[in-house]
Amino acid sequence: MSELNTFSIAARCPRTGQLGVAVASAVPAVGGLCPYLRAGIGAVTTQSWVNPYLAARILDGLGAGLGPDAALAAALATDDRPDLRQLGLVDGHGMAAAWTGAGCTAEAGHRTGPGYAVQGNMLTDPGVIDAMARAFEESAGHDLDERLMRALEAGDAAGGDKRGKQSAALKIVAREDYPSLDLRVDEHAEPVAELRRILGVARCQLVPFVAGMPRKDGPAGALPEAVSAMLLRPPGERPGSAPADISDLLSDVIGLPPEAAERMAHLQAQFAPVLAEIRTLRALDLTQVHPAILFDPSLPYRGVPHE
């Protein structure tokens, strides 16, 4: 077992029925161990001293018709150390449940609300959980990916994991047996900010690809021509991509210091196309279009005619 001291949210979108989990931690590859989702059934995050089998049993229970509280209780009853576990879940109807064992590292706790469960342990402050819940509730008009991202950002801004930062993940399922979104930052100084940047790229490049994938209740078909054409281009030439030196370009264009990592990552996601265009324009050689014009302030004093 691995101890994943972390903060997370499991949630459901009432408009689309999508289920998702967003999570961050000061251990690597948190997205590979904590989130477990089944389309139409539920979303579970298991953390602290992780027991992935609890998540699987909860999803089995939900699939068999148990409510979230009953599925959670039944799964914990099979475990020999429930005091070390922390779990949060929502079912396919948006009903939520959570558990924080007495042996979880402080600060530890959870909060549930309509369509979500927020939980965390080894936090800098209990306000991390409240900030995440508030961010999710206040973003009700947005899609699930954005609501989960905002909740994670709120937890990060409120202090997050007291040991620091290392990894983050966001995973969403819709109607298919494969995820509609599965993004991970496995080793980064600012994983939540980096996850925001990757989400911006994924919205432009990955989401259209997944939208054209085969469906279990329809013909397989093929990717739309526009999506195929986009993916045949090099990554740096696709919508949403950012040049490798975008941080330097941001600093140069708007004067933002490179050490402002979180703000830098947000701006990278929002303004990458504009910055890419600036970079392209700067690289253009216009001498063949118009020769260089040189201004020589000494000309009026030379006593020679101008050409």
Side-chain angles (χ1 to χ4, degrees):
M1 293 185 297
S2 299
E3 185 179 16
L4 293 190
N5 302 304
T6 183
F7 54 100
S8 66
I9 177 170
R12 177 184 181 271
C13 175
R15 178 173 52 83
T16 64
Q18 290 179 332
L19 295 159
V21 170
V23 57
S25 183
V27 296
V30 68
L33 290 175
C34 287
Y36 296 84
L37 304 92
R38 288 184 197 168
I41 301 298
V44 184
T45 177
T46 172
Q47 52 203 55
S48 188
W49 287 100
V50 170
N51 184 346
Y53 296 105
L54 293 179
R57 289 164 191 159
I58 288 170
L59 290 170
D60 288 342
L62 294 176
L66 294 179
D69 288 319
L72 175 60
L76 287 171
T78 69
D79 191 21
D80 59 347
R81 291 301 305 271
D83 59 306
L84 298 179
R85 317 299 180 203
Q86 186 172 56
L87 299 113
L89 64 135
V90 291
D91 68 7
H93 305 288
M95 301 297 291
W99 167 265
T100 300
C104 292
T105 308
E107 293 282 342
H110 60 260
R111 176 173 164 182
T112 62
Y116 73 87
V118 171
Q119 44 285 318
N121 63 89
M122 206 172 189
L123 303 174
T124 57
D125 189 277
V128 171
I129 293 170
D130 294 333
M132 294 178 69
R134 185 166 55 252
F136 185 79
E137 292 172 353
E138 292 177 352
S139 59
H142 294 271
D143 290 338
L144 185 59
D145 63 340
E146 181 64 23
R147 299 184 73 187
L148 292 174
M149 192 69 241
R150 291 191 184 192
L152 209 61
E153 288 171 330
D156 193 47
D161 189 318
K162 69 172 65 173
R163 296 165 303 167
K165 308 175 184 183
Q166 195 164 5
S167 67
L170 192 160
K171 188 171 184 177
I172 293 176
V173 295
R175 296 181 177 85
E176 306 304 320
D177 294 335
Y178 53 79
S180 58
L181 202 61
D182 189 356
L183 308 179
R184 303 180 187 185
V185 177
D186 288 338
E187 167 64 26
H188 199 277
E190 293 289 341
V192 175
E194 177 66 3
L195 187 64
R196 165 63 79 178
R197 185 191 69 81
I198 292 172
L199 177 59
V201 175
R203 284 170 172 164
C204 295
Q205 300 181 24
L206 177 64
V207 171
F209 176 78
V210 174
M213 288 172 60
R215 302 285 188 245
K216 60 184 175 184
D217 57 355
L223 278 175
E225 254 183 60
V227 177
S228 297
M230 182 264 292
L231 292 176
L232 287 172
R233 296 162 63 187
E237 296 178 9
R238 297 174 193 160
S241 62
D245 62 350
I246 190 169
S247 294
D248 294 336
L249 191 56
L250 269 172
S251 300
D252 186 27
V253 172
I254 64 175
L256 188 68
E259 61 269 18
E262 185 171 349
R263 183 63 178 160
M264 186 77 74
H266 173 73
L267 290 174
Q268 285 175 357
Q270 297 297 316
F271 299 107
V274 176
L275 292 167
E277 187 67 19
I278 293 172
R279 187 186 185 210
T280 299
L281 291 172
R282 284 183 168 183
L284 289 177
D285 182 2
L286 300 177
T287 55
Q288 299 303 315
V289 179
H290 194 294
I293 299 175
L294 298 178
F295 172 67
D296 186 348
S298 69
L299 281 176
Y301 307 100
R302 288 184 182 179
V304 296
H306 294 186
E307 294 181 2

